[in-house]
Amino acid sequence: MTIYVNLCQHLKVDTSAIDDILRLQTDGLDKKNLDDICIFSPETAEIHVTAFDSWKEVVDILPTLEHRNKGYVFKKLWCCTCSRVGNNCTTVNDVLKEVWIDVEKRWQLFGEQLKDGTLTFYEFVEMFGSISEENGQRLNDEITLFNITDHVATTRVDQWRKYTRLTACVNGAEAILALQTQYKLEGDFEAMQTIASVINREVPI
């Protein structure tokens, strides 16, 4: 639940009721505290924890949320969605409906496209752009969080590296052609024109 509360901090959501319960974990539990958060059934001799009953739907997604929150993509999608919904969320359950459901859907779609190769290079770079080429292992780890095999992840990283090098060549060719136009340079610039035209950021990865 701590992870969920921390994610709620991106919005103006009152989490004080949950904070009080979580604080018991660090402050220690006595009999009174236990009575406040648990119910003992003499018939079954079982203890039912009632502390989070008001947020049952949130509790249900916690295992999935914990896994998702390990990845950069999920955190980026979460922050972007929080910025979009803004003041629409005022309660913990609002965050579940307004943010979690949308982010989970987009995360799943991104993962499916990443796995089957229908994601465009533009979309790939837009999402992973801040992870440098030198950090290929981190990128590989991020991709496998989508339940993608290491083999496919390695293939995607290799494709991305080749695309990055190609982009650098295209940018260089475009710069040369810009100088040629600006200063009316003469010569054979056909090779530069060919290089500048080869990249299409909308093609699948």
Side-chain angles (χ1 to χ4, degrees):
M1 187 64 86
T2 301
I3 292 175
Y4 188 80
V5 170
N6 289 339
L7 288 171
C8 286
Q9 301 310 308
H10 292 281
L11 299 157
K12 295 180 179 179
V13 175
D14 181 11
T15 61
S16 57
I18 297 178
D19 293 336
D20 290 341
I21 297 171
L22 293 175
R23 196 172 295 115
L24 293 175
Q25 296 177 345
T26 55
D27 293 347
L29 293 169
D30 54 28
K31 186 178 184 305
K32 181 182 182 304
N33 290 336
L34 285 171
D35 290 340
D36 290 339
I37 65 174
C38 301
I39 294 177
F40 176 72
S41 172
E43 292 80 12
T44 62
E46 293 181 348
I47 297 176
H48 172 63
V49 179
T50 60
F52 297 118
D53 279 1
S54 298
W55 308 283
K56 185 180 183 304
E57 290 181 326
V58 174
V59 172
D60 289 342
I61 64 125
L62 290 181
T64 302
L65 179 67
E66 183 177 2
H67 174 74
R68 300 281 189 270
N69 196 54
K70 294 176 182 177
Y72 172 82
V73 171
F74 177 82
K75 292 173 183 175
K76 184 171 183 176
L77 290 173
W78 186 277
C79 290
C80 290
T81 305
C82 285
S83 297
R84 178 171 54 80
V85 300
N87 296 327
N88 289 344
C89 294
T90 57
T91 70
V92 169
N93 286 326
D94 284 344
V95 177
L96 185 74
K97 297 172 184 176
E98 297 290 337
V99 182
W100 162 256
I101 292 176
D102 180 65
V103 171
E104 174 66 3
K105 187 183 299 183
R106 292 169 64 192
W107 188 93
Q108 291 279 1
L109 177 61
F110 184 86
E112 290 170 7
Q113 293 176 325
L114 183 60
K115 182 178 181 179
D116 61 27
T118 57
L119 192 73
T120 67
F121 278 108
Y122 175 81
E123 292 168 328
F124 186 92
V125 172
E126 184 180 41
M127 193 60 70
F128 291 120
S130 64
I131 302 177
S132 66
E133 184 172 0
E134 292 74 25
N135 214 337
Q137 184 56 52
R138 182 189 168 191
L139 182 55
N140 191 92
D141 294 341
E142 287 284 341
I143 293 173
T144 55
L145 286 174
F146 290 91
N147 297 319
I148 292 175
T149 64
D150 190 66
H151 172 71
V152 173
T154 301
T155 300
R156 295 291 176 263
V157 172
D158 184 56
Q159 290 171 320
W160 171 67
R161 282 176 169 161
K162 290 177 180 177
Y163 173 81
T164 301
R165 296 188 188 106
L166 179 60
T167 300
C169 292
V170 169
N171 290 340
E174 289 175 343
I176 291 173
L177 290 174
L179 288 173
Q180 184 254 336
T181 301
Q182 182 178 356
Y183 296 105
K184 297 181 174 56
L185 301 177
E186 296 182 358
D188 184 5
F189 289 90
E190 185 176 350
M192 293 297 102
Q193 292 169 345
T194 300
I195 294 173
S197 65
V198 297
I199 196 166
N200 181 357
R201 292 172 174 80
E202 296 303 322
V203 298
I205 191 169

